[in-house]
Amino acid sequence: MAAPGETLNCEDFAMFQEVLKAMRTIDDRIVHALNTTVPTVSFSGKVDATQTCKQLYESLIEAHQSRDKAIKSCIAQTSEVVGHLREARGKDNENLTLLKELRKEQTKLKLMQSELNVEEVVNDRSLKIFTERCRIHYTPPKGK
């Protein structure tokens, strides 16, 4: 997983996606994590499945929240840039360089907003897999 304190580079969309990809490692490896930590019936006495599932759930939720916060922060930052560019375009409607920059930032903003949808799908998938494997051992608190 990416360093917890790692900030997303909101200026470069390719880097933004790379950091998100690294931050999604826990979700990408959820099946492996569950297979290696949650015991089967024959090994159930050797591992505390309740504690293991609880720790995994907390890690998942923490990862989901940090990614959500990072994506929304970049969306806010890019929205602000788009707002300033719109203001500038209103004052200088003939400037083609300004218009190109505005279009570029608007496209980046739309791509970042679509990452929120991707995030929702990734989170739902991970939580579904978690629930299937850990429902016997651990029930997450409501409201999360």
Side-chain angles (χ1 to χ4, degrees), residues 118-134:
V118 171
E119 190 63 23
E120 185 178 342
V121 170
V122 169
N123 293 354
D124 288 348
R125 177 188 165 272
S126 296
L127 291 173
K128 180 179 180 227
I129 293 168
F130 173 84
T131 303
E132 287 172 2
R133 288 295 306 275
C134 281

Side-chain angles (χ1 to χ4, degrees), residues 8 63-75 116:
L8 284 176
H64 294 174
Q65 289 172 343
S66 78
R67 288 194 313 259
D68 188 62
K69 181 180 173 190
I71 293 168
K72 286 179 179 173
S73 167
C74 279
I75 287 173
L116 280 177

Side-chain angles (χ1 to χ4, degrees), residues 37-92:
T37 58
V38 178
T40 57
V41 176
S42 58
F43 291 101
S44 60
K46 298 180 178 145
V47 177
D48 183 3
T50 302
Q51 188 61 29
T52 303
C53 285
K54 181 179 181 190
Q55 288 171 344
L56 183 58
Y57 177 78
E58 289 169 354
S59 296
L60 272 175
I61 294 302
E62 182 182 325
H64 294 174
Q65 289 172 343
S66 78
R67 288 194 313 259
D68 188 62
K69 181 180 173 190
I71 293 168
K72 286 179 179 173
S73 167
C74 279
I75 287 173
Q77 185 178 333
T78 306
S79 292
E80 194 174 310
V81 170
V82 167
H84 291 306
L85 288 171
R86 277 190 181 141
E87 238 177 68
R89 192 189 82 197
K91 294 174 185 169
D92 183 10

Side-chain angles (χ1 to χ4, degrees), residues 9-17 71 74-79 81-82 85 100-115:
N9 178 354
C10 301
E11 301 299 315
D12 180 2
F13 187 73
M15 280 302 297
F16 170 82
Q17 283 190 309
I71 293 168
C74 279
I75 287 173
Q77 185 178 333
T78 306
S79 292
V81 170
V82 167
L85 288 171
K100 283 182 183 179
E101 185 66 22
L102 175 61
R103 295 289 178 244
K104 183 180 126 196
E105 290 297 319
Q106 286 174 326
T107 300
K108 184 169 65 170
L109 179 60
K110 287 176 187 167
L111 291 170
M112 286 179 176
Q113 289 168 334
S114 73
E115 281 299 322

